[in-house]
Amino acid sequence: QKEVEQNSGPLSVPEGAIASLNCTYSDRVSQSFFWYRQYSGKSPELIMSIYSNGDKEDGRFTAQLNKASQYVSLLIRDSQPSDSATYLCAVNLGERDDKIIFGKGTRLHILP
Amino acid sequence: EAGVAQSPRYKIIEKRQSVAFWCNPISGHATLYWYQQILGQGPKLLIQFQNNGVVDDSQLPKDRFSAERLKGVDSTLKIQPAKLEDSAVYLCASRLQGPGQGYTFGSGTRLTVV
């Protein structure tokens, strides 16, 4: 059973600080990794994707990938109250490019 | 670019009744997915279509759930008869073909079975 594991939280971070969200996955063959943000009562929204080991930055967001450790993380710099949401880690299934599986998500709460 | 359209937004039915959800993907997106998201959980894939063919329905409870995608565009997901544990948000997503493409989700249908 291929799995994506996340700490469910809630993770509470003061406004302006760095929020660090972590995810591990079980399938060594996975090649594509995604972070989705989901506000309460809304559908998931893709915010970052990463395919190569190392860091990928987009504005205040940085995705980090370590395939050897089967670990992917998301850093949010200068956290804002609007970043309060559930963050879903998603990983493509094996060699199948067209199917991704999701973790249960980490609830992030930014404290004003 | 128009997003993934879903309807209805909300539905309340009694157990053993039937219900249907509709999805219109982004134009040009050949791949369409139906996911079930139970409160506090991540989305779980129910069925995947490529154009009008089923690619993966291994996690679809086929005794009560059915789905179709006629003409490779719109799709409907049906539950008959519904059970209490079917209460969830049903998300439709579509995707461009090609490596590393993420999904775009619709707004979802929140189903409550009472």
Side-chain angles (χ1 to χ4, degrees):
Chain A
Q1 179 80 0
K2 309 300 184 184
E3 292 185 336
V4 177
E5 298 285 345
Q6 295 181 256
N7 187 320
S8 62
L11 174 65
S12 295
V13 173
E15 183 176 355
I18 296 175
S20 178
L21 304 163
N22 305 313
C23 170
T24 59
Y25 59 95
S26 63
D27 190 350
R28 287 195 165 275
V29 186
S30 294
Q31 296 294 321
S32 301
F33 307 87
F34 307 90
W35 283 99
Y36 284 80
R37 178 176 61 199
Q38 187 171 29
Y39 292 114
S40 180
K42 302 294 185 184
S43 59
E45 172 194 13
L46 179 65
I47 55 171
M48 288 287 287
S49 56
I50 186 167
Y51 318 110
S52 304
N53 278 328
D55 294 0
K56 178 182 179 183
E57 187 174 319
D58 184 1
R60 296 187 296 111
F61 298 98
T62 299
Q64 299 176 317
L65 175 61
N66 184 327
K67 290 183 182 179
S69 301
Q70 295 176 236
Y71 177 92
V72 59
S73 64
L74 179 70
L75 302 178
I76 306 174
R77 290 183 300 281
D78 188 23
S79 297
Q80 304 296 311
S82 59
D83 295 326
S84 296
T86 295
Y87 289 80
L88 298 164
C89 175
V91 176
N92 81 291
L93 190 65
E95 295 181 349
R96 286 192 53 184
D97 177 71
D98 62 341
K99 180 176 177 179
I100 63 176
I101 55 174
F102 288 83
K104 293 183 178 181
T106 298
R107 283 185 298 138
L108 175 65
H109 182 51
I110 305 302
L111 303 170
Chain B
E1 176 182 77
V4 177
Q6 286 190 251
S7 67
R9 284 300 310 275
Y10 306 93
K11 192 74 177 178
I12 300 175
I13 62 172
E14 296 182 349
K15 60 184 179 184
R16 291 187 290 274
Q17 286 187 323
S18 62
V19 65
F21 313 127
W22 173 82
C23 173
N24 181 251
I26 292 174
S27 178
H29 284 199
T31 312
L32 184 148
Y33 308 82
W34 283 101
Y35 277 82
Q36 179 193 58
Q37 187 174 25
I38 293 172
L39 188 65
Q41 303 288 318
K44 171 191 163 187
L45 180 67
L46 293 175
I47 189 166
Q48 175 188 349
F49 292 94
Q50 181 75 20
N51 297 309
N52 61 348
V54 175
V55 174
D56 186 343
D57 63 356
S58 58
Q59 298 199 76
L60 187 74
K62 298 181 188 63
D63 58 334
R64 298 184 301 105
F65 286 65
S66 64
E68 62 182 8
R69 190 183 184 195
L70 300 175
K71 301 180 182 179
V73 181
D74 293 8
S75 177
T76 57
L77 175 70
K78 297 179 182 178
I79 307 175
Q80 181 180 9
K83 293 185 175 181
L84 295 176
E85 58 262 36
D86 298 332
S87 295
V89 175
Y90 291 85
L91 294 163
C92 179
S94 68
R95 175 184 178 272
L96 271 173
Q97 283 187 279
Q101 295 290 332
Y103 297 179
T104 300
F105 283 92
S107 55
T109 296
R110 181 176 298 276
L111 174 67
T112 303
V113 182
V114 297

